[in-house]
Amino acid sequence: MTAENPRSPADRLDDDDYPAYTMGRAAAMLGTTPGFLRAIGEARLITPLRSEGGHRRYSRYQLRIAARARELVDQGTPVEAACRIIILEDQLEEARRLNEQMRRGGDKVQPEAEA
Protein backbone atom coordinates (compact mmCIF):
# COMPACT_ATOMS: atom_id res chain seq x y z
CA MET A 1 0.00 0.00 0.00
CA THR A 2 1.20 3.48 -0.85
CA ALA A 3 0.49 6.84 0.73
CA GLU A 4 -1.19 7.90 -2.52
CA ASN A 5 -3.48 4.85 -2.59
CA PRO A 6 -3.81 3.36 0.89
CA ARG A 7 -6.41 0.77 -0.16
CA SER A 8 -5.45 -2.59 -1.53
CA PRO A 9 -6.81 -3.76 -4.91
CA ALA A 10 -9.01 -6.28 -3.10
CA ASP A 11 -10.68 -3.46 -1.14
CA ARG A 12 -11.64 -1.74 -4.40
CA LEU A 13 -13.54 -4.81 -5.61
CA ASP A 14 -16.21 -4.21 -2.97
CA ASP A 15 -16.32 -0.42 -3.47
CA ASP A 16 -19.52 0.65 -5.28
CA ASP A 17 -17.89 4.00 -6.08
CA TYR A 18 -14.68 2.67 -7.61
CA PRO A 19 -14.64 3.54 -11.34
CA ALA A 20 -13.89 0.05 -12.60
CA TYR A 21 -15.76 -0.02 -15.91
CA THR A 22 -14.83 1.51 -19.25
CA MET A 23 -17.53 3.11 -21.35
CA GLY A 24 -17.62 0.13 -23.72
CA ARG A 25 -17.89 -2.39 -20.90
CA ALA A 26 -20.52 -0.30 -19.09
CA ALA A 27 -22.61 0.01 -22.25
CA ALA A 28 -22.35 -3.74 -22.88
CA MET A 29 -23.39 -4.54 -19.32
CA LEU A 30 -26.44 -2.26 -19.64
CA GLY A 31 -27.31 -3.46 -23.14
CA THR A 32 -27.11 0.09 -24.47
CA THR A 33 -24.73 2.26 -26.47
CA PRO A 34 -21.90 4.56 -25.43
CA GLY A 35 -24.05 7.38 -26.82
CA PHE A 36 -26.67 6.65 -24.18
CA LEU A 37 -24.04 6.93 -21.44
CA ARG A 38 -22.82 10.21 -22.92
CA ALA A 39 -26.42 11.50 -23.04
CA ILE A 40 -27.12 10.80 -19.39
CA GLY A 41 -23.76 12.35 -18.56
CA GLU A 42 -24.70 15.50 -20.49
CA ALA A 43 -28.01 15.55 -18.59
CA ARG A 44 -25.89 15.47 -15.40
CA LEU A 45 -27.48 12.30 -14.07
CA ILE A 46 -24.05 10.73 -13.61
CA THR A 47 -20.57 12.15 -13.96
CA PRO A 48 -18.07 9.47 -14.89
CA LEU A 49 -14.58 9.75 -13.58
CA ARG A 50 -11.74 9.96 -16.07
CA SER A 51 -8.73 7.71 -16.45
CA GLU A 52 -5.26 9.23 -16.76
CA GLY A 53 -5.76 9.03 -20.53
CA GLY A 54 -9.06 10.94 -20.29
CA HIS A 55 -11.37 7.96 -20.90
CA ARG A 56 -14.67 7.74 -19.04
CA ARG A 57 -14.81 5.21 -16.20
CA TYR A 58 -18.00 4.15 -14.40
CA SER A 59 -18.67 2.72 -10.95
CA ARG A 60 -21.21 0.06 -10.05
CA TYR A 61 -23.29 2.75 -8.32
CA GLN A 62 -23.35 4.81 -11.53
CA LEU A 63 -24.28 1.73 -13.55
CA ARG A 64 -27.29 1.12 -11.28
CA ILE A 65 -28.45 4.68 -11.91
CA ALA A 66 -27.86 4.29 -15.65
CA ALA A 67 -29.85 1.03 -15.62
CA ARG A 68 -32.79 2.86 -14.01
CA ALA A 69 -32.57 5.54 -16.72
CA ARG A 70 -32.52 2.87 -19.39
CA GLU A 71 -35.68 1.28 -17.92
CA LEU A 72 -37.50 4.60 -18.20
CA VAL A 73 -36.22 5.24 -21.73
CA ASP A 74 -37.26 1.72 -22.77
CA GLN A 75 -40.77 2.60 -21.53
CA GLY A 76 -40.83 5.60 -23.87
CA THR A 77 -39.59 8.39 -21.61
CA PRO A 78 -37.21 10.85 -23.30
CA VAL A 79 -33.64 10.68 -21.93
CA GLU A 80 -33.72 14.18 -20.44
CA ALA A 81 -37.04 13.49 -18.71
CA ALA A 82 -35.83 10.12 -17.41
CA CYS A 83 -32.78 11.79 -15.89
CA ARG A 84 -34.92 14.47 -14.23
CA ILE A 85 -37.30 11.81 -12.84
CA ILE A 86 -34.40 9.90 -11.29
CA ILE A 87 -32.95 13.08 -9.77
CA LEU A 88 -36.34 13.97 -8.29
CA GLU A 89 -36.82 10.43 -6.96
CA ASP A 90 -33.45 10.70 -5.23
CA GLN A 91 -34.35 14.09 -3.73
CA LEU A 92 -37.68 12.73 -2.51
CA GLU A 93 -35.99 9.74 -0.87
CA GLU A 94 -33.54 12.07 0.89
CA ALA A 95 -36.40 14.28 2.13
CA ARG A 96 -38.24 11.22 3.44
CA ARG A 97 -35.11 10.03 5.23
CA LEU A 98 -34.65 13.43 6.86
CA ASN A 99 -38.35 13.58 7.89
CA GLU A 100 -38.13 10.15 9.49
CA GLN A 101 -34.98 11.13 11.32
CA MET A 102 -36.66 14.29 12.61
CA ARG A 103 -39.74 12.33 13.72
CA ARG A 104 -37.51 10.06 15.77
CA GLY A 105 -36.15 13.12 17.54
CA GLY A 106 -32.87 13.38 15.69
CA ASP A 107 -31.54 16.78 16.71
CA LYS A 108 -28.53 16.35 14.47
CA VAL A 109 -30.24 15.94 11.12
CA GLN A 110 -27.67 16.13 8.35
CA PRO A 111 -28.20 15.45 4.67
CA GLU A 112 -26.19 12.60 3.18
CA ALA A 113 -23.10 13.52 1.17
CA GLU A 114 -23.78 13.83 -2.55
CA ALA A 115 -22.47 11.11 -4.75
Side-chain angles (χ1 to χ4, degrees):
M1 290 191 271
T2 65
E4 183 178 303
N5 189 3
R7 296 171 48 183
S8 74
D11 290 341
R12 286 182 255 162
L13 294 174
D14 293 330
D15 185 351
D16 268 359
D17 295 319
Y18 181 71
Y21 303 98
T22 64
M23 177 179 274
R25 180 68 182 134
M29 290 172 68
L30 295 170
T32 189
T33 64
F36 176 78
L37 292 172
R38 281 191 291 275
I40 64 175
E42 289 170 10
R44 298 187 186 268
L45 179 61
I46 59 175
T47 303
L49 295 169
R50 298 283 181 151
S51 69
E52 289 181 17
H55 300 283
R56 291 173 178 91
R57 304 282 296 194
Y58 297 89
S59 69
R60 287 187 298 185
Y61 174 75
Q62 290 172 325
L63 293 183
R64 284 194 300 271
I65 293 170
R68 173 70 177 125
R70 172 142 192 250
E71 288 174 10
L72 291 171
V73 169
D74 286 350
Q75 294 170 6
T77 306
V79 171
E80 298 81 13
C83 292
R84 187 68 182 138
I85 289 167
I86 294 166
I87 290 166
L88 290 171
E89 287 174 341
D90 186 56
Q91 290 173 347
L92 177 60
E93 181 59 36
E94 177 69 2
R96 287 179 173 161
R97 187 189 66 76
L98 291 171
N99 275 340
E100 183 59 31
Q101 191 174 359
M102 288 175 70
R103 268 192 218 110
R104 285 188 257 129
D107 295 335
K108 299 173 186 154
V109 175
Q110 296 181 3
E112 287 183 8
E114 291 188 32

